[in-house]
């Protein structure tokens, strides 16, 4: 009836098919890491995977969901704490890391009922308060011995070589699962609804988005990711001291990675994590100057590249490596369903 | 979708509706009913409570008193999102686009959320809504790059994406040229033809009268006239409300 029939929605482009194929190839190659790389490289890559996990989940929460939290260390610390508790109860270490994250995600559901009623700055600071509260509660546990902390003694069951490889694989697997989970979530209609809430909560509700339910999905996924990162971090450092894990520096790192890479883009935080990792590798030993350098870098980005590296690429070239968005294009394929001729009510 | 009521049954019934913000009475005991095939214009001086009336109907604000029934069901306490899913949608006087998303994604979100459409149906409905509002050319633009006119069009396109039964329009004609207003009138007529009930607040009365077959005048939170457009425009209380109580 009209040229409308020739319009269609494109999600995959040759570029995004290629990027996903390359990403899969890289992940498969990384899976053989313990056979290919030196122990030092394995340790470094494990750290990088945890950084990516932190960056992509904070970006999902803040960049896509508009829920800027400076209290994600609550879940990071709780994840590590739960892993300590589970292994103390006799559970094998690596399954305990995963189960710890699942338990923390379950805890975040009732927590969301309170926190998601807060808006903007109130939510951001409120999450920090939650982190401090959880920190104090964990300190009360006799097993932890206050700020003295404890160790993941159960790791002694593994040889150094096996431990290094298992931790590496668990981190790689966790990062991959979260990447896929977020890609699927953000590509779905729920992903569109999440972004709508970020841009205008009232308008989103007025077009039928169930605001609280939708926010809860992203809040719980972000809690799960941070908890998983915390549990994995524990398996790399072995010691658990509450003030280290419940420190706001973890959220500061997440913010740094996401702002430098590109808030609200899928690719950006991964790039941000790589940059943060490289900077830490090269300058991390420089103590105070390293932190000053991080702060200065964040400042320069905020001033001159407010949408981060990938945000700049996106604005400038319209490049999308991963197929999260929608493009309407003219095409020969017929539409999947006939055009709506009449409304669904009365004739 | 609930079953369609009989043609003569009111699609929307409002009884004893009041809204106060603190001591300020914005809506004062409003009774109102409309059928699903009507196109109703609402006029009235600034501050008459027109926009608040729409906000309370869609559930953006809870009423202080009174009931709202939509297609026979009491929706007075129903959340805004659920009312939208039942078929009530409004456009905003000051457009509220999802600014970080493309124009298409704005409409697509409405089609999958309020419209309850599956993916393919939502694609189709979104494209059709955009075409009807003359927005296919900007479908892939980010909404925050749009000018005011396109933002207003997007309000309408997004509302249509939800496949509404009742469409509440809040001053979407303001600032349009005569040609643009003419195109808008054609679009609204097309929507009526498709069986969508219309309530339209507009200050540009001659545009409104090209579509409305019933006119309501509000003043100080009350409906002061309700009837055929010619009769309402000639009504003494309406003229007084617009020109100030002392006129004539």
């Amino acid at each position: 009836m009209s040229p409308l029939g020739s319009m269609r929605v494109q999600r995959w482009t040759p570029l995004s098919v290629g990027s996903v194929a390359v990403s899969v190839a890289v992940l498969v190659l990384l899976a053989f890491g313990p056979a290919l790389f030196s122990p030092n490289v394995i340790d470094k890559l494990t750290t990088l995977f945890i950084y990516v996990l932190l960056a992509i989940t904070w970006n999902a929460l803040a960049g896509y969901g508009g829920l800027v939290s400076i209290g994600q260390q609550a879940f990071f610390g709780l994840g590590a704490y739960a892993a300590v508790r589970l292994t103390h109860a006799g559970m094998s270490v690596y399954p305990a890391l995963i189960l710890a994250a699942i338990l923390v995600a379950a805890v975040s559901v009732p927590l969301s009922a309170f926190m998601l009623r807060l808006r903007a700055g109130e939510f951001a600071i409120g999450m920090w308060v939650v982190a401090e509260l959880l920190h104090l509660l964990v300190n009360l546990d006799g097993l932890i011995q206050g700020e003295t902390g404890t160790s993941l003694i159960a790791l002694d069951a593994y040889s150094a070589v096996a431990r290094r490889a298992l931790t590496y694989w668990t981190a790689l697997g966790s990062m991959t699962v979260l990447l896929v989970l977020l890609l699927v979530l953000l590509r779905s209609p729920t992903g569109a609804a999440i972004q709508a809430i970020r841009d205008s909560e009232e308008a989103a509700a007025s077009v039928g988005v169930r605001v609280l339910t939708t926010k809860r999905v992203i809040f719980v996924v972000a809690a799960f990711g941070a908890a998983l990162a915390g549990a994995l971090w524990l398996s790399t450092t072995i010691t658990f001291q509450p003030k280290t894990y419940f420190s706001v520096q973890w959220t500061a790192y997440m913010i740094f990675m996401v702002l430098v890479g590109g808030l609200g883009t899928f690719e950006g935080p991964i790039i941000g994590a790589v940059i943060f990792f490289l900077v830490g590798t090269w300058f991390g030993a420089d103590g105070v100057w390293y932190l000053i350098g991080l702060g200065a870098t964040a400042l320069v980005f905020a001033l001159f590249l407010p949408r981060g590296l990938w945000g700049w690429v996106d604005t400038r070239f319209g490049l999308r490596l991963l197929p999260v968005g929608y493009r309407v294009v003219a095409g020969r394929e017929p539409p999947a369903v006939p055009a709506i001729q009449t409304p669904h009510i009365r004739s | 979708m609930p079953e369609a009521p009989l043609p003569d049954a009111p699609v929307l019934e409002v009884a004893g509706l009041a809204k106060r913000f603190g001591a300020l009475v914005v809506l004062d005991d409003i009774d109102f009913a409309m059928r699903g095939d009507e196109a109703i214009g609402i006029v009235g001086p600034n501050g008459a409570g027109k926009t608040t009336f729409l906000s309370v109907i869609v559930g953006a604000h809870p009423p202080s008193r009174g009931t709202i029934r939509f297609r026979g069901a009491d929706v007075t306490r129903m959340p805004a999102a659920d009312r939208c899913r039942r078929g009530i949608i409004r456009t905003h006087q000051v457009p509220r686009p999802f600014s970080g998303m493309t124009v298409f994604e704005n409409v697509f979100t409405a089609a999958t959320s309020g419209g309850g459409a599956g993916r393919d149906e939502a694609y189709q409905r979104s494209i059709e809504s955009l075409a009807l509002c003359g927005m296919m050319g900007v479908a892939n633009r980010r909404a925050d790059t749009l000018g005011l006119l396109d933002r207003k069009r997007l309000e309408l396109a997004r509302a249509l994406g939800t496949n509404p039964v009742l469409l509440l329009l809040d001053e979407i004609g303001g600032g349009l040229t005569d040609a643009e207003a003419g195109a808008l009138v054609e679009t609204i007529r097309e929507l009526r033809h498709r069986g969508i009930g219309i309530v339209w607040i507009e200050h540009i009365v001659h545009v409104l009268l090209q579509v409305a077959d019933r006119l309501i005048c509000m003043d100080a939170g009350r409906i002061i006239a309700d009837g055929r457009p010619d009769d309402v425009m000639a009504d003494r209380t309406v003229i007084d409300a617009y020109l100030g109580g002392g006129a004539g």
Side-chain angles (χ1 to χ4, degrees):
Chain A
M1 60 150 206
S2 70
L4 279 188
S6 66
M7 304 306 292
R8 65 188 178 86
V9 178
Q10 186 187 50
R11 305 214 68 191
W12 289 89
T13 60
L15 179 65
S16 63
V17 171
S19 330
V20 169
V22 169
S23 307
V24 170
V26 168
L27 289 170
V28 169
L29 181 70
L30 285 172
F32 292 100
L36 303 173
F37 307 130
S38 71
N40 183 40
V41 171
I42 291 298
D43 286 346
K44 288 263 193 285
L45 283 174
T46 305
T47 304
L48 174 62
F49 299 154
I50 296 173
Y51 286 166
V52 171
L53 203 50
L54 290 172
I56 60 174
T57 50
W58 194 81
N59 178 55
L61 186 68
Y64 283 97
L67 293 163
V68 176
S69 161
I70 48 179
Q72 291 308 96
Q73 67 274 16
F75 304 120
F76 186 85
L78 216 50
Y81 169 69
V84 168
R85 264 284 160 201
L86 287 171
T87 52
H88 183 72
M91 194 169 180
S92 172
V93 173
Y94 292 97
L97 302 182
I98 311 294
L99 183 62
I102 293 170
L103 287 177
V104 174
V107 168
S108 75
V109 174
L111 185 64
S112 73
F114 302 100
M115 300 316 292
L116 293 180
R117 295 190 185 278
L118 303 177
R119 300 277 188 96
E122 295 172 346
F123 173 78
I125 301 295
M127 283 303 299
W128 194 351
V129 173
V130 167
E132 290 300 311
L133 281 174
L134 288 170
H135 176 189
L136 294 174
L137 284 174
V138 165
N139 274 0
L140 293 178
D141 185 342
L143 176 68
I144 306 301
Q145 309 169 77
E147 292 298 359
T148 311
T150 184
S151 299
L152 197 62
I153 311 156
L155 272 175
D156 291 343
Y158 300 88
S159 72
V161 174
R163 196 166 71 201
R164 176 171 284 119
L166 284 171
T167 303
Y168 172 89
W169 278 321
T170 313
L172 176 65
S174 301
M175 177 188 77
T176 307
V177 166
L178 256 295
L179 278 170
V180 172
L181 182 70
L182 286 176
L183 188 63
V184 169
L185 178 67
L186 293 172
R187 268 172 62 81
S188 74
T190 304
I194 287 166
Q195 294 173 69
I197 294 170
R198 170 196 66 196
D199 291 341
S200 172
E201 201 164 311
E202 286 78 11
S206 85
V207 301
V209 173
R210 293 198 169 112
V211 173
L212 206 58
T213 314
T214 309
K215 276 182 174 179
R216 183 169 292 139
V217 171
I218 203 79
F219 183 81
V220 171
V221 170
F224 176 70
L228 199 49
L232 286 164
W233 195 260
L234 176 68
S235 72
T236 63
T237 62
I238 303 171
T239 56
F240 177 75
Q241 283 182 305
K243 73 174 174 217
T244 313
Y245 281 79
F246 286 98
S247 163
V248 73
Q249 78 172 26
W250 291 106
T251 298
Y253 292 162
M254 296 182 208
I255 295 173
F256 177 89
M257 293 185 278
V258 172
L259 285 189
V260 167
L263 182 73
T265 65
F266 200 89
E267 299 86 345
I270 303 169
I271 296 168
V274 172
I275 291 173
F276 179 69
F277 166 76
L278 291 176
V279 171
T281 306
W282 291 329
F283 306 110
D286 296 347
V288 174
W289 284 106
Y290 162 65
L291 294 175
I292 291 173
L294 278 187
T297 311
L299 202 63
V300 168
F301 269 89
L303 287 173
F304 300 107
L305 275 183
R307 294 194 61 216
L309 279 174
W310 197 261
W312 176 78
V313 170
D314 181 30
T315 313
R316 186 79 191 261
F317 306 105
L319 270 187
R320 291 275 170 85
L321 295 185
L322 292 164
V324 177
Y326 303 78
R327 287 193 82 74
V328 182
V329 294
R332 280 158 309 205
E333 284 178 31
V337 291
I340 304 156
Q341 304 288 349
T342 49
H344 62 281
I345 40 160
R346 67 203 158 256
S347 54
Chain B
M1 266 294 153
E3 259 180 49
L6 297 171
D8 283 342
V11 67
L12 180 70
E13 292 171 272
V14 165
L17 197 70
K19 179 66 189 172
R20 287 187 201 83
F21 292 104
L24 183 68
V25 179
V26 183
L27 295 178
D28 187 6
D29 200 25
I30 290 188
D31 294 309
F32 167 82
M34 71 176 286
R35 292 192 320 271
D37 59 354
E38 285 188 290
I40 299 182
I42 301 185
V43 295
N46 288 328
K50 305 183 295 291
T51 293
T52 305
F53 185 42
L54 295 198
S55 298
V56 172
I57 291 172
V58 298
H61 299 307
S64 307
R65 193 158 39 77
T67 57
I68 303 160
R69 298 180 74 80
F70 180 66
R71 303 178 93 190
D74 189 336
V75 298
T76 314
R77 299 288 156 202
M78 185 181 279
D82 293 336
R83 291 189 210 193
C84 174
R85 285 162 188 247
R86 287 190 173 224
I88 316 178
I89 185 80
R90 62 93 62 91
T91 66
H92 298 91
Q93 185 180 356
V94 178
R96 293 184 186 179
F98 304 134
S99 50
M101 304 168 76
T102 69
V103 167
F104 174 83
E105 286 162 0
N106 268 259
V107 183
F108 177 76
T109 305
T112 53
S113 300
R119 195 193 61 183
D120 289 338
E121 190 190 348
Y123 284 169
Q124 201 56 43
R125 196 183 291 163
S126 303
I127 287 173
E128 216 207 12
S129 301
L130 287 171
L132 195 61
C133 299
M135 297 198 80
M136 280 309 287
V138 293
N140 295 322
R141 289 250 309 262
R142 261 173 71 114
D144 59 3
T145 65
L146 297 179
L148 180 63
L149 178 60
D150 274 335
R151 283 173 190 235
K152 289 203 168 203
R153 283 186 180 144
L154 179 54
E155 280 285 323
L156 182 58
R158 198 170 64 183
L160 295 180
T162 65
N163 206 15
V165 174
L166 179 60
L167 177 62
L168 313 176
L169 304 169
D170 196 353
E171 295 198 27
I172 54 166
L176 301 190
T177 65
D178 283 350
E180 288 160 356
L184 179 64
V185 164
E186 282 313 307
T187 306
I188 309 282
R189 279 188 176 143
E190 169 63 20
L191 299 178
R192 276 208 73 186
H193 177 67
R194 295 176 182 208
I196 299 173
I198 309 276
V199 177
W200 186 359
I201 297 175
E202 193 58 75
H203 278 301
I204 312 165
V205 177
H206 72 270
V207 171
L208 192 58
L209 295 185
Q210 291 176 54
V211 176
D213 44 23
R214 181 176 154 198
L215 195 63
I216 283 173
C217 181
M218 290 181 69
D219 186 30
R222 289 171 168 272
I223 291 177
I224 58 168
D226 179 352
R228 287 182 46 236
D230 292 347
D231 297 342
V232 170
M233 292 310 288
D235 190 292
R236 196 69 231 169
T237 52
V238 172
I239 295 168
D240 285 350
Y242 264 99
L243 300 180

